[in-house]
Structure formats: C-alpha cells, structure tokens
Amino acid sequence: MTETFAFKAETKQLLHILIHSLYKDREVFLRELLSNASDALNRLRFEMLTNKDVLDAEAPLEIRITVDKDARTLTIRDTGIGMTRQEIIEHLGTIAQSGARRFLEAAQKNNFDTTGLIGQFGVGFYSVFMVAESVRVISRSYKPEAEAVSWLCRGDDIYQVEAAEKTTRGTEIKVVLKEDAAEFADEYRIKEIIRKHSDYIGFPIYVGTDEKPVNKQTSLWRTAKSEISETQYTDFYRQLTLDFEEPLVTTHFVTDAPVQLYALLYIPAKGERGMFSLRKEDGLKLYSRNILIDEYNKDLLPDYLRFVQGVVDSEDLPLNVSRETVQSSGLMPRLKKVLTGQVLKELETLAKNAPEKYANFWKEFGSYLKQGVAATPADADKLVPLLRFRTNLHPEVWSSLEEYTGRMKEGQKFVYYLLGEDPKSLVRSPHLEAFQAQGMEVLLLTEPIDPFLLMGLRKYKDFELKNAAQAEIETPSQAQEGQPEPEKIPESELAPLMERFKQVLGERVNEVRVSHRLAQSVARLVDPQDALNPELQRVYKFLGKEYEVPKKILELNAAHPILKGLLHLPADSELGTLVIEQIYDSALLVEGLHPDPSSMAPRLQKLIEAALGQR
Ligand code: ADP
Ligand code: MG
C-alpha cells in the first residue's frame, strides 16, 4: 500500500529553495548524508551496549557508497539504527534540523538570496535536493519485528511511503542526480569530497568495490595535534555549533593521569549564542571510547564555564554505562577537575600573552567568571587574577586587581569600589569627588552580577575591598593646593537651611546633614549606618525580591553656591521648594534610584522659567 503525504509549508519552501539553488558548494550534501549515517551508526552502537536483541547484531558498522555514471545515481548505505515506517514519516517528512529552520528564516530575511547561507547552516537531509532529481530512502529498523519501508520524493511537494524489500538492518539512500549534478556519480569526485569534509567520521566509508575505507576514521579529538590544521579545527567547531564566527580560543589536549581523556574545547567569540546556534543547551558532548554518551553533559565543567563548547572522550568511562550512571560514576568529578584546570590555564595564558584578545573574552564572558568567584569559592584563587575592571582613573581599559594594587597611593589601605547602574552616571557620582580630587582609583562596578561578586571577594591579597560611598575620606582642602578655600555658610545660617530641607523632603529622607566630601556636587545620598548594605540592596533588587529602598541621608555641600543662593530667598518661597526638590531628585538620579525620572520635567521647566525671568 502506497501512502502519499504532502509536505508542510515550511518543508515545501525549503525544498523549493534547495532545488533551485545555485549554491556553488553543493558537495556539502554528501557531508550531511554521511553525518546522518554516522549518527545512525552511533545510535545503534549505543543501543547495543545494553540491548543484544537487534537485527543483524553481527553486521559490521559501516557506510558504503556506490555510483552509476550511466544511470546518474548515487547510493549511500549504512548499517545503522534504521527507521520504522512511523519514524521515516516523522523524521523525513518534517524539518528536524534546527539548522534547516534557521536557514529558512535567514533566507526569508535575505529576500531569498541564499548565497552563502547553505554552507553556513548545514541544512541536513534536505540538502540532497540541491543535486537530486529524486530521492528514495529504504530503511529497516534495528528492531527485529519492524518491517522495511520506502520513502520517495521526486522533488515536488509530496512524498510517498510504502512497504519495501530490505532484509538487512540500516538505511539506503538512492539519489537520482540532476543532469547538472552528474559529477557526483563519479567515484573519484566522491572520494575527494569525503576526504575534504568527512575524514573524521568514526566508521569506515567504502566507495565502490574498494576494500579500504576512504576516510581516516579517527575522530578529530583523537588525532595528533600536529596533523590538524587551523581550518580543520575551525570547521569542526562550526559543524558542532553552527556558529559562523571563528572561536576565540581552541584547546585540544590529551591526558593519561589522573584520568584518561581526549578533549577538544572551544570558547566562542560571542557570549550570546547566535540565533542560529545548533547547540540548544549548554554542555559538552561526552564520548566514551568514541561512542557518544551524552549530547549535552553539564557535569564536566562548573556552571560558570558553561559557555565552553566541545567534545570530551574518555577511555576510563565504563562501556556499559547509561547516560544516568555516567552522572553518578566517581569519574565525573575527576574529569571535571582536569577540564576546569585546563580551561582556566588557557585563560591565564591568554590574559598574559594576548591581552587584547583577553579583553574581548572579558567583554563577552566576564560576568560568568564573576559568577564563579561568587558561587564557587574553591576556584576563586584561580578566578580572581582573571577578573578585569573599569576604574575612574582608567575608564577605557580593563584593569586587573594586580594592576590596581600596583597603582595604589602610598598608605592606601583598601581596594575601593563603587556600585552603580551604568558607567556614565557612575563617573559623575558625588561619591567619587573626593577620590577624584586625590587621584585615587576606584573600581566601577555596574553589572548586575557585581554585588554577588563582592560577596565572594571580600579581600584581594592584604587589601580589603571597601565601598567608596561609605569610605571615611575627606576632600583635600583646596587651600593646600594654593587655591582660596571656598567659603562655607556660617553655622547660624546653615541650621535653618537644613531645617527647610527636612521640612520639604519630610519622610523621604532619614536625615539631612553637612558633608565634608563634596566639592562640585551640591548634595549626595548616603545610607544610614544600620541600613542593609548597598551590595545586598542590589542583590535583592536583582533577584526581584521585595524590599524597601531604605531611607537615605541627604548630605549637603555647605560651600556650594546653590545653597548660598537659597539663603537669599524668602523662607517659604516656592522657588526654594522647587530647588530643594530638584536637588533631592538629582541625587536620586545619580544613584540610579529614581523611580520616575520624567516626572522631573515640569519642575525643571518651572526652574528654567524662573532663571530666565531674572534676566
Ligand atoms: P539532523 O541530522 O540534524 O537530525 P537531518 O535533516 O540531517 O537532521 O535528518 C533528519 C532525521 O532523519 C534525523 O534526525 C534522523 O532521525 C533521520 N535520519 C536521517 N538519515 C538517517 C539515516 N541514515 N539513518 C537513520 N535515520 C536517519
Ligand atoms: Mg543530519
């Protein structure tokens, strides 16, 4: 019985694009079919670890390709896991590959100009339609009771499924090539493509009647470094992730003690996983003796290194393991230790030998390492030297703590930092004025993760970290620098003025007092002694926990012309009230605490009118 199915709209669209594609590297279709065959063989091998009841249990795991020049056909057979009728409809009737779907999206965005897109995405099984007039897939599942099935598509919008004659396990894909694709019915050409794209497939690929496989068969990670080119490393990365950029760091290593492992790890160039990424989750691919055990293993690296991509293969993992028992085997912590050490060492080297590249890394992944310091104290020793900061004195570059302490003023006892929402408002913070005036360096911490970082980083070497907003520091008197000391408002006039502030601001402030730290700014807000510390306030805010912003103390600069100006206004003047309100709002704003900045607009307008009215 033949059943006819119509492809879904998106599959139709993909087929149309591929059939009419003029993509010059059409040969990648073979890579896709071979990668599917290899996946099928891998899955069979994995199944056989625990299940001996499979069809043709003794059959060798291999791929065979034959061509017929005259008939213009190419046939690929594998002895892999095969597909049942249900599976063939499910897997070949819809777009499985995320790369294919992304390709479609990108093609739509590009107005269907697909130049360069196909190679970029790896569109999976359907890429065969770049070269095929028709494709017949005949498959027999490894399940002994399953029947062979045939799937046929002639490049139109339908496919047909019917029973087939096939007594052996696996899948056979018979491609009738388009006239202009006759080159692929040539053994020599096929071998060339295999060597180029599929050399590392872990199963033998035989072409024609050759008795020797064409491919090397060792996976890339098991191949000696000296035999691998930069391009091969990058190609492998791209196939693994579909990230089109080159990886920032590639590290390939083998260890024998304390555990045996092969690892090929990459740090992507960008922190955000591209919208086209193939890797749907974090985690490394874990192989045991070349057999894929886990597609996304999250136990091989600490959480804070979850951006690392790649493959780990160990001879020490027992072969009869299921994915679950891998997690509980005592081997995992040892693998993790080795891998973590290697990645951190790699980063240390990068920071030392290629600071600019490291700065790029830091921009993309710095917050991960900060999370590591906070969440994994055991690794903090190694992570802290990798931290980088912007500072008030060097806002454009990334400084390490070592550099910071190297530049410290004589007698400086603390590493100062300031928390804020964004670097721009932070450099204008009144809390910085005293530091700025003394040429003292302050770390500017503006990432949401920073308060967490501080919880894990109380000290660097002998220096405690201290919040600059809370530090006891005075502005050096300007008289010392040969300038006239600006005159302060005398005590007798100051007291009623502060009273006026309290009256206007009422419950909004905890206290109004005079500050010794302000130079340019008229006021600043500080936390009362007993308040929840500012780091925790921000942690709560970040976690979305309900907490009340504690009432702050408003500190005034008693030498500031604005305050002097206020003295000249009548005690209850409306303008005075506006000015006081605005001073408070401006202070909230630079703290990043203003709940509704646009509400200041009407008041600012009144103040402008008043200013102009004086002329
Ligand atoms: P992907 O390989 O990313 O899953 P493909 O479009 O390449 O996407 O293949 C779609 C699906 O078809 C595969 O996931 C697999 O289930 C099935 N498939 C393709 N080729 C074979 C094969 N040779 N043997 C068994 N199943 C296959
Ligand atoms: Mg595939």
Side-chain angles (χ1 to χ4, degrees):
M1 184 194 66
T2 307
E3 238 184 308
T4 303
F5 298 85
F7 285 115
K8 293 221 178 81
E10 56 172 7
T11 319
K12 267 187 220 168
Q13 209 176 18
L14 180 62
L15 277 176
H16 282 271
I17 296 176
L18 291 169
I19 287 169
H20 300 114
S21 128
L22 297 173
Y23 182 53
K24 66 177 184 340
D25 295 322
R26 294 191 293 181
E27 64 186 37
V28 295
F29 86 91
L30 191 63
R31 177 189 75 196
E32 296 296 330
L33 296 186
L34 288 173
S35 124
N36 285 350
S38 163
D39 287 350
L41 288 161
N42 259 320
R43 284 165 60 199
L44 192 267
R45 193 158 60 172
F46 187 77
E47 180 67 30
M48 284 183 72
L49 295 177
T50 49
N51 178 8
K52 294 283 172 251
D53 187 23
V54 307
L55 185 67
D56 293 344
E58 303 300 320
L61 302 181
E62 60 180 30
I63 302 168
R64 289 188 180 271
I65 302 183
T66 51
V67 294
D68 182 334
K69 252 194 172 132
D70 300 330
R72 234 173 39 231
T73 61
L74 164 77
T75 307
I76 301 172
R77 297 183 184 82
D78 66 65
T79 51
I81 196 145
M83 286 177 273
T84 62
R85 183 187 177 93
Q86 198 48 45
E87 284 165 345
I88 217 167
I89 294 171
E90 218 166 274
H91 296 150
L92 301 187
T94 52
I95 299 181
Q97 244 251 15
S98 67
R101 190 159 294 128
R102 302 306 189 195
F103 164 78
L104 255 187
E105 284 171 18
Q108 271 156 0
K109 269 202 204 108
N110 267 15
N111 260 328
F112 295 97
D113 176 6
T114 54
T115 333
L117 288 180
I118 295 174
Q120 195 168 334
F121 293 104
V123 284
F125 171 75
Y126 291 106
S127 59
V128 71
F129 286 99
M130 290 191 291
V131 300
E133 216 165 71
S134 74
V135 179
R136 186 187 285 277
V137 180
I138 298 176
S139 193
R140 174 133 184 197
S141 164
Y142 74 99
K143 293 173 188 153
E145 71 288 354
E147 284 162 12
V149 57
S150 152
W151 179 99
L152 172 69
C153 174
R154 293 203 171 83
D156 38 25
D157 295 344
I158 55 161
Y159 62 96
Q160 295 177 323
V161 178
E162 60 191 13
E165 288 294 316
K166 187 178 188 334
T167 51
T168 53
R169 181 194 69 218
T171 302
E172 174 181 319
I173 301 182
K174 188 165 187 171
V175 183
V176 179
L177 294 161
K178 290 184 196 170
E179 233 167 278
D180 69 357
E183 58 176 305
F184 301 112
D186 178 83
E187 284 190 10
Y188 183 81
R189 178 80 173 102
I190 291 297
K191 286 183 191 169
E192 179 190 72
I193 303 172
I194 294 172
R195 286 198 201 94
K196 184 163 161 199
H197 293 293
S198 308
D199 216 17
Y200 295 103
I201 288 215
F203 303 91
I205 306 171
Y206 301 95
V207 174
T209 51
D210 284 6
E211 280 171 31
K212 249 186 77 198
V214 187
N215 58 329
K216 267 212 201 74
Q217 283 182 66
T218 27
S219 27
L220 190 62
W221 57 89
R222 283 174 176 253
T223 304
K225 268 174 147 171
S226 54
E227 285 176 33
I228 307 176
S229 69
E230 242 358 86
T231 324
Q232 284 171 319
Y233 277 131
T234 307
D235 277 355
F236 183 82
Y237 170 74
R238 288 195 176 143
Q239 276 184 40
L240 179 75
T241 59
L242 268 191
D243 181 356
F244 200 56
E245 288 202 48
E246 284 187 21
L248 193 70
V249 177
T250 302
T251 169
H252 180 193
F253 62 101
V254 183
T255 65
D256 290 312
V259 278
Q260 196 291 325
L261 69 76
Y262 302 89
L264 176 49
L265 305 180
Y266 298 92
I267 297 177
K270 288 272 164 340
E272 213 166 299
R273 205 168 309 174
M275 63 194 266
F276 301 123
S277 171
L278 194 58
R279 304 286 292 166
K280 298 170 198 80
E281 292 176 42
D282 297 322
L284 300 177
K285 277 181 121 161
L286 176 62
Y287 288 78
S288 158
R289 307 185 198 188
N290 240 342
I291 305 181
L292 181 63
I293 303 201
D294 198 354
E295 179 76 40
Y296 299 104
N297 192 291
K298 298 180 181 64
D299 299 321
L300 290 165
L301 285 174
D303 207 34
Y304 67 83
L305 291 179
R306 61 188 179 277
F307 55 85
V308 176
Q309 302 281 346
V311 172
V312 175
D313 186 352
S314 173
E315 300 273 333
D316 289 347
L317 281 167
L319 246 191
N320 60 342
V321 287
S322 67
R323 287 177 176 86
E324 289 70 39
T325 54
V326 169
Q327 318 299 343
S328 55
S329 99
L331 187 68
M332 294 306 282
R334 282 187 287 151
L335 289 174
K336 181 173 176 175
K337 195 160 174 216
V338 173
L339 293 165
T340 308
Q342 177 70 21
V343 174
L344 294 182
K345 205 176 83 198
E346 203 67 44
L347 288 175
E348 197 188 308
T349 314
L350 188 71
K352 204 164 94 200
N353 299 345
E356 267 175 40
K357 224 168 152 191
Y358 186 76
N360 286 339
F361 162 81
W362 181 257
K363 264 202 303 242
E364 298 295 328
F365 301 105
S367 55
Y368 290 79
L369 299 196
K370 288 177 177 176
Q371 183 207 332
V373 173
T376 320
D379 294 352
D381 277 357
K382 288 204 189 108
L383 288 171
V384 170
L386 293 172
L387 299 174
R388 294 294 178 272
F389 302 90
R390 303 265 190 222
T391 75
N392 59 332
L393 301 186
H394 300 276
E396 303 303 329
V397 297
W398 292 107
S399 305
S400 66
L401 285 171
E402 188 176 311
E403 289 165 320
Y404 175 96
T405 47
R407 296 192 290 249
M408 271 180 161
K409 292 251 160 189
E410 221 181 279
Q412 185 177 335
K413 290 192 193 67
F414 299 102
V415 171
Y416 291 107
Y417 64 85
L418 193 57
L419 288 162
E421 303 285 301
D422 73 296
K424 275 196 199 126
S425 62
L426 209 48
V427 287
R428 283 197 206 99
S429 168
H431 303 304
L432 269 185
E433 280 175 11
F435 290 89
Q436 211 77 1
Q438 299 197 23
M440 267 188 13
E441 195 162 16
V442 178
L443 310 177
L444 305 177
L445 304 183
T446 54
E447 283 194 299
I449 187 79
D450 286 333
F452 294 90
L453 167 69
L454 290 168
M455 292 163 84
L457 180 69
R458 300 310 310 157
K459 237 178 158 183
Y460 176 71
K461 295 193 172 153
D462 289 334
F463 305 103
E464 249 177 75
L465 272 79
K466 195 159 190 77
N467 190 332
Q470 295 174 319
E472 309 266 336
I473 175 171
E474 295 209 2
T475 314
S477 76
Q478 298 190 8
Q480 281 172 2
E481 289 164 22
Q483 284 169 2
E485 187 81 24
E487 210 172 307
K488 289 188 179 154
I489 299 172
E491 198 53 42
S492 59
E493 287 181 86
L494 201 55
L497 185 61
M498 293 208 291
E499 234 1 89
R500 175 96 163 98
F501 268 86
K502 281 181 205 166
Q503 195 194 346
V504 172
L505 298 175
E507 284 296 295
R508 283 175 283 171
V509 291
N510 180 297
E511 194 189 326
V512 178
R513 69 183 182 207
V514 170
S515 164
H516 306 288
R517 277 185 44 168
L518 298 173
Q520 283 87 38
S521 301
V522 61
R524 68 166 189 158
L525 287 167
V526 294
D527 280 309
Q529 280 300 327
D530 56 352
L532 189 61
N533 74 47
E535 292 79 38
L536 268 181
Q537 287 179 35
R538 281 171 203 278
V539 168
Y540 282 176
K541 189 173 167 199
F542 180 73
L543 295 176
K545 276 209 184 144
E546 286 226 8
Y547 80 103
E548 247 175 82
V549 180
K551 271 191 258 171
K552 306 251 174 191
I553 298 168
L554 184 71
E555 285 193 354
L556 297 175
N557 176 357
H560 202 281
I562 292 182
L563 295 193
K564 289 177 188 161
L566 275 176
L567 291 175
H568 299 305
L569 293 175
D572 55 352
S573 96
E574 196 208 351
L575 182 60
T577 309
L578 291 176
V579 169
I580 291 171
E581 291 276 4
Q582 189 56 44
I583 288 174
Y584 174 71
D585 269 17
S586 298
L588 272 182
L589 199 65
V590 293
E591 291 299 312
L593 292 173
H594 202 300
D596 182 14
S598 65
S599 67
M600 303 187 320
R603 183 192 312 124
L604 287 170
Q605 190 174 325
K606 281 189 196 161
L607 288 169
I608 294 168
E609 280 165 13
L612 293 174
Q614 286 194 343
R615 309 218 148 225

